[in-house]
């Protein structure tokens, strides 16, 4: 079933297909959600882009191995069919996300936020959130580097995804310690 490109653009990434599993078309998913048991269940529907086409795929069966779901998707019945989906993002409509408690945010809400120190110095923008609910960090792209900022209340003093801002109050030395050089391609 083909789906509109706008649905894809408005969708939220909840995982990526890592590789095929077995000969019957199952795939191993790297989940990008703090609620994998809720998100990956029989009957769940994901948007998937494959061969320049966006499709809805329904989960026919699922089991977990070492924290990762092994999923059988509707219409994917062979290892060759599963190989076509390797690396594909799994998305859901933002409306399918449950409301979070106060002070908790979805990753997609934080990506793009401008990060400033409490004295008003602009550091850069969030390009990713790494880790899980037990220990996350913001990846902030500065003018020349990437900066890793622990996503904890003691450092991230004010988070306002609607305004697109995150105010941090880092302890002395944290910003110097957590700078990484961006990887540049050889070409």
């Amino acid at each position: 079933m083909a789906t509109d490109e706008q649905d894809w653009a408005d969708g939220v990434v909840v995982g990526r297909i890592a590789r095929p599993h077995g000969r019957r078309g199952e795939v191993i998913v790297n989940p990008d959600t703090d609620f994998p048991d809720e998100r990956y269940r029989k009957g769940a529907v994901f948007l998937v882009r494959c061969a320049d086409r966006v499709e809805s795929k329904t989960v026919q069966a699922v089991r977990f191995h070492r924290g990762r779901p092994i999923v059988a998707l509707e219409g994917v019945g062979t290892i060759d069919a599963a190989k076509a989906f390797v690396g594909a993002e799994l998305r859901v409509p933002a409306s399918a996300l449950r409301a979070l408690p106060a002070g908790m945010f979805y990753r997609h809400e934080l990506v793009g936020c401008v990060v400033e120190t409490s004295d008003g110095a602009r550091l850069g923008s969030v390009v990713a959130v790494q880790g899980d609910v037990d220990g996350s960090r913001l990846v902030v792209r500065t003018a020349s580097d990437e900066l890793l900022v622990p996503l904890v209340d003691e450092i991230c003093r004010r988070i306002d995804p609607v305004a697109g801002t995150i105010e941090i109050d880092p302890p002395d030395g944290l910003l110097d310690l957590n700078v990484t050089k961006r990887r540049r391609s050889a070409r």
Side-chain angles (χ1 to χ4, degrees):
M1 165 186 216
T3 304
D4 185 57
E5 287 291 326
Q6 191 62 45
D7 291 339
W8 177 258
D10 293 341
V12 177
V13 177
V14 294
R16 288 177 178 73
I17 296 177
R19 63 181 177 84
H21 179 79
R23 296 182 180 174
R24 295 182 303 231
E26 293 177 313
V27 294
I28 295 177
V29 175
N30 290 330
D32 197 3
T33 175
D34 289 331
F35 314 106
D37 292 332
E38 294 175 25
R39 183 65 54 208
Y40 295 95
R41 58 179 169 48
K42 185 176 180 177
V45 178
F46 298 107
L47 297 175
V48 183
R49 180 185 298 280
C50 184
D52 296 329
R53 192 174 79 228
V54 176
E55 302 177 35
S56 283
K57 290 289 185 186
T58 302
V59 174
Q60 300 296 306
V62 64
R63 65 187 185 283
F64 285 82
H65 180 69
R66 296 185 180 176
R68 295 195 308 176
I70 300 172
V71 178
L73 295 171
E74 166 189 40
V76 182
T78 67
I79 192 169
D80 289 333
K83 285 179 183 178
F85 290 95
V86 170
E89 292 179 345
L90 299 174
R91 295 186 182 194
V92 297
S95 61
L97 302 176
R98 71 178 181 161
L100 294 176
M104 292 186 75
F105 306 94
Y106 285 106
R107 293 170 188 245
H108 72 276
E109 294 176 309
L110 302 179
V111 172
C113 285
V114 172
V115 178
E116 300 174 340
T117 61
S118 49
D119 62 5
R122 182 181 173 149
L123 298 175
S125 297
V126 176
V127 294
V129 180
Q130 297 175 338
D132 58 24
V133 72
D134 294 324
S136 297
R137 62 188 166 263
L138 303 172
V139 179
V140 180
R141 176 136 324 130
T142 67
S144 60
D145 300 307
E146 286 183 346
L147 175 65
L148 302 176
V149 177
L151 187 55
V152 294
D153 292 339
E154 295 80 17
I155 296 172
C156 297
R157 297 297 187 165
R158 189 179 55 80
I159 299 174
D160 187 348
V162 174
T165 59
I166 298 174
E167 179 185 307
I168 67 170
D169 186 14
D172 289 339
L174 179 79
L175 299 182
D176 295 326
L177 177 67
N178 288 337
V179 171
T180 64
K181 297 291 181 194
R182 281 192 289 200
R183 295 181 183 165
R184 291 182 171 85
S185 63
R187 297 180 186 189

